[in-house]
Amino acid sequence: MSIPYEHGVVVFARGEEVGASGGALSLPGLELFSQQLPADVAQLRGWVTGAPGRLLTAIVAGAWDFSLLVELRRLAPAVYVILWHADAVEDAHNRIRAFQSGARMVSHDHEHLREALALITSIRGAAAAAADAAAAGEAAAAAEAGLAAPGTVAQLSYACPWCGLSGLTGPELWLHQPLYHIYELDKTKVDCPMCRHHTSRLTRHINLRHNPAGPGADERTGVYALAVVRRPGDGKFLLVQERYGEGYWVPGGGVDPGESLVGGVVREAWEEAGARIKVTGILTLESSHRGSWRRIIFVAEPLPQPLPTAAAAAPSPSSASAAAAGGSAPDAALRRCKTLPDVESAGACWVTAAELEGLPLRCVSEPRTWIPWVADGGKVMALDPAAPELTKLFPDYPLM
Ligand SMILES: [Zn+2]
Ligand SMILES: [Zn+2]
């Protein structure tokens, strides 16, 4: 596997996470280049460029040094920086700090890491795609009894408006953009590099209009379903790390035409937070004065998820220490949530009600109203499809 350093990956991990042979970060088929990160940021360029064609791994002993992430991103803007952190989905503050310092992903999930590496290494550039097309053309031509080889197939290539990485095919830019840049500010009022269409929001435009599977529909129903998801055991709440650096928010979003209210929030919790949830009650029903939007806020709890094998074999230090301290470590199957960024979100995190005060929030009212409400055992309405308030506000949407 050969990766030019501009397309390279740096995994920041603490020493105990990575053994001599790659340790917990061993990945079949990938050559790991593990070494201590230079303490001096001035040596970083040589370190970054010193091993082209390899997956780079930095081992950071002791405390996280986020200034090194900042410097690395300055030196190599297109490098994919992953913070490998045992508390990736339990440490909301360091998730934010890592992304603000230039990390593209914060994870401790081997399956998500493998998926990220597969996506990153699938982005090979327009020149490689053109060479493949030419080779395929030659093979096809040879098969068709000696027709002349078609030569180089023209392949349009684009540069990423965020990091400047050039030579991407259209489908590669569509793939690259959210994976690398979903936590950065969106580009507004710009021309799309692919179709030259002037757009108010480039991320949304690329996702909807340049999806290789076909253009997506932009259906907004004005009906929204949100969920306050409380984890039994330690009582932590699930928050989505929202796009565009907007901080955290409760999972949820627009209910699609033909979808039920519960179906909508279950789908959104999966897309935005990577969590399977079970809705257990209703907190509130709301609508705008003019009726342009209506919404329902549910209370829910996580359902256990299948675990990646490496995580099951090696409990994280935090859960081990929690168990050693006599606390009830939350079941790993209930902890697992999203750490692979995509167009929906940068990931998700579990937080205590007390932690909410210090966290950046996309909108303050929903989390700060309903998370303390649920934490304090406030009143919850039953999931009754015939409840008059429900059928009055949503005569056109089934509850379940
Ligand atoms: Zn980019
Ligand atoms: Zn376009």
Side-chain angles (χ1 to χ4, degrees), residues 192 195 205 210:
C192 170
C195 69
H205 169 86
H210 298 285

Side-chain angles (χ1 to χ4, degrees), residues 181-263:
H181 304 298
I182 202 62
Y183 201 70
E184 295 169 44
L185 290 178
D186 202 359
K187 301 280 181 194
T188 57
K189 297 178 183 165
V190 292
D191 291 342
C192 170
M194 288 182 274
C195 69
R196 295 286 150 206
H197 178 81
H198 190 74
T199 175
S200 58
R201 291 168 64 197
L202 187 55
T203 299
R204 182 183 185 81
H205 169 86
I206 289 175
N207 179 51
L208 279 178
R209 298 289 157 225
H210 298 285
N211 186 333
D218 190 5
E219 289 173 322
R220 275 179 263 194
T221 58
V223 173
Y224 300 91
L226 312 178
V228 173
V229 184
R230 182 180 179 278
R231 187 166 64 187
D234 63 1
K236 278 187 153 188
F237 292 89
L238 181 65
L239 291 183
V240 176
Q241 190 177 12
E242 296 285 349
R243 302 178 281 197
Y244 317 134
E246 290 180 341
Y248 292 100
W249 211 48
V250 291
V255 180
D256 290 341
E259 207 172 27
S260 72
L261 299 170
V262 167

